[in-house]
Amino acid sequence: MIISELTMTFIRALRQIRAPCRLSFGAGSSRFNYSTSQSIYENILVTAPKPGVGLITLNRPRALNALSSALFRELNNALRQLDDDKSTGAIVLTGSEKAFAAGADIKEMKDLSFSEAFNTNFISSWSSTIPSVRTPLIAAVNGHTLGGGCELALMADIIYCSSTAAFGQPEIKLGIIPGAGGSQRLTKAIGKSRAMELILTGKNFSGTEAGQWGVAARVFDTAEACVQGAIDTAAKIAGMSSLSVKAAKEVVNKSHDLSLRDGLEYERKVFHGLFGSRDQKIGMAAFAEKKKPEWSHE
């Protein structure tokens, strides 16, 4: 059967039109396609500021990045896609200079009844995906980071913030309590007494205090420096063996769930297991030869 050149031109044109409408990884690969991602997201932006780094920016400026179920559907989708992407070694999550996320979208929940909230397991999806992401996640926090925004930041593996960031769990002022992990993760981060004071009064705490209390790993003078610092650290992590990075993240997280004795035993087993990897051989050989390792990620 002979296909005319005009028909082939038409088919090629159709393919070019249709391609940007979906998020694809390419045949036989798992590479995130940043150029097409913006066509399917309305509440977030996904970019690649450096090789191996995925940057997700919450993008509801008029609502100060208020969190909604629609936003979390997009965020969870992007996180899963990046986590599956073999070329992504670390992820940065940020908002705007004015607000990382100023809280939950109250319009979405103000009319809910107990039965509706309970039967639909309301906001469970907000905190179900991030804990299962194996790729390191850094939150670059600036501006208002309140309620669900604070809880979202606390889900990250590492928090960087600017000194003027404002963290808080003000739910008590609305007649409710934190519902996406705030009472649990904040207490583990800063201790019972301080967390109790903040949650019972709805009082905010600053980025400077977040650094002093161990909530944030680093505190920056400006929002721009904060985001750039997170990207730089993410790039450094992405330059390591993905096997050892994921193993390291796993054992650190296990320290929250296990007793010291069980945690030490678990760490040792994972440590022993890495001697079966190609990257252990590559890394130690490169060290002995004073060379930069070329990781296989195997």
Side-chain angles (χ1 to χ4, degrees):
M1 181 177 180
I2 300 174
I3 301 177
S4 70
E5 182 60 31
L6 180 61
T7 302
M8 290 301 299
T9 302
F10 179 70
I11 292 172
R12 284 193 293 268
L14 276 179
R15 287 173 177 168
Q16 289 174 355
I17 292 170
R18 291 174 62 189
C21 297
R22 64 183 188 276
L23 181 62
S24 64
F25 289 85
S29 71
S30 58
R31 182 175 292 276
F32 190 93
N33 193 329
Y34 292 92
S35 64
T36 64
S37 66
Q38 300 318 314
S39 65
I40 64 169
Y41 295 138
E42 296 180 359
N43 300 293
I44 63 173
L45 301 172
V46 186
T47 54
K50 285 190 174 184
V53 178
L55 174 63
I56 301 176
T57 304
L58 305 183
N59 188 38
R60 296 188 69 200
R62 293 183 179 179
L64 295 179
N65 292 330
L67 303 174
S68 64
S69 295
L71 183 148
F72 265 99
R73 279 192 294 271
E74 294 183 6
L75 176 59
N76 290 342
N77 178 267
L79 286 169
R80 285 190 292 266
Q81 300 264 27
L82 289 170
D83 196 34
D84 288 339
D85 176 20
K86 293 179 181 178
S87 69
T88 300
I91 304 167
V92 175
L93 175 64
T94 192
S96 66
E97 182 174 355
K98 185 178 290 187
F100 176 75
D105 193 335
I106 303 303
K107 294 178 182 178
E108 182 180 2
M109 63 177 71
K110 67 182 181 65
D111 295 323
L112 280 177
S113 65
F114 164 75
S115 61
E116 289 173 320
F118 184 78
N119 286 331
T120 61
N121 205 9
F122 180 59
I123 77 170
S124 62
S125 63
W126 294 23
S127 57
S128 61
T129 296
I130 292 177
S132 67
V133 171
R134 301 177 72 197
T135 305
L137 176 64
I138 304 174
V141 174
N142 298 292
H144 301 295
T145 308
L146 307 173
C150 185
E151 291 171 308
L152 176 58
L154 289 169
M155 293 181 213
D157 299 307
I158 300 170
I159 297 177
Y160 282 1
C161 69
S162 56
S163 58
T164 54
F167 295 84
Q169 299 289 167
E171 290 89 349
I172 199 78
K173 298 177 181 179
L174 301 176
I176 56 174
I177 63 170
S183 66
Q184 306 303 302
R185 292 189 176 93
L186 186 60
T187 301
K188 287 183 181 296
I190 65 176
K192 176 185 174 182
S193 182
R194 187 168 276 156
M196 191 72 80
E197 178 191 29
L198 293 171
I199 291 171
L200 293 183
T201 64
K203 178 184 176 183
N204 293 350
F205 60 98
S206 68
T208 299
E209 289 172 316
Q212 294 170 345
W213 297 349
V215 174
R218 292 182 63 186
V219 180
F220 297 81
D221 291 334
T222 67
E224 183 179 2
C226 171
V227 175
Q228 188 59 54
I231 292 171
D232 291 343
T233 296
K236 187 171 185 178
I237 293 170
M240 306 295 180
S241 163
S242 62
L243 278 179
S244 57
V245 165
K246 289 175 181 176
K249 172 175 171 171
E250 184 175 315
V251 295
V252 172
N253 283 335
K254 281 291 184 182
S255 69
H256 281 282
D257 304 325
L258 302 175
S259 66
L260 178 59
R261 180 176 179 176
D262 290 341
L264 290 171
E265 184 176 349
Y266 185 82
E267 176 192 66
R268 194 175 304 112
K269 287 180 178 179
V270 175
F271 170 74
H272 290 163
L274 287 173
F275 281 83
S277 71
R278 288 185 61 194
D279 280 349
Q280 176 267 328
K281 303 298 185 292
I282 291 170
M284 292 192 174
F287 178 82
E289 298 169 10
K290 295 184 170 63
K291 294 180 179 179
K292 183 178 179 180
E294 297 292 335
W295 303 116
S296 68
H297 305 294
E298 297 178 356

